[in-house]
Amino acid sequence: EISTRDWSSDVCSSDLAMCAEHGRSVPVTIVTFGDPDPDALRLYRDIGVRRTVIGASRTDWADPASTMPFIDRYAQLVDELR
């Protein structure tokens, strides 16, 4: 039985890894804080994370001079990480 609270917060990376080992996927979206490195994003993909929101809690998020290079850096990885 699923309680009335949001159970998705109880899913951890070991749960996702176990699902991946058994050929199953769980449609999970995660939010990363800061600037995750490409290896972390690959790991999320490999364990079944379907969507990763990047840039949460970034400073200067409204400044195009820092935001556009941030977006460009991750845009280069989109095709690889699908």
Side-chain angles (χ1 to χ4, degrees):
E1 178 178 311
I2 298 175
S3 69
T4 56
R5 66 185 177 81
D6 179 9
W7 64 272
S8 63
S9 62
D10 294 337
V11 175
C12 65
S13 61
S14 63
D15 296 326
L16 296 174
M18 183 178 63
C19 287
E21 288 172 10
H22 290 89
R24 295 179 181 222
S25 66
V26 176
V28 172
T29 297
I30 62 170
V31 176
T32 63
F33 291 88
D35 195 357
D37 65 45
D39 288 336
L41 296 173
R42 288 180 193 101
L43 173 65
Y44 300 151
R45 177 205 57 206
D46 293 345
I47 63 173
V49 172
R50 296 242 180 115
R51 180 179 298 135
T52 303
V53 178
I54 60 172
S57 76
R58 267 189 78 245
T59 57
D60 299 327
W61 62 269
D63 176 19
S66 70
T67 300
M68 293 311 294
F70 178 83
I71 292 170
D72 290 342
R73 183 169 54 251
Y74 290 103
Q76 296 174 12
L77 296 170
V78 169
D79 287 333
E80 174 193 345
L81 295 173
R82 287 183 191 203

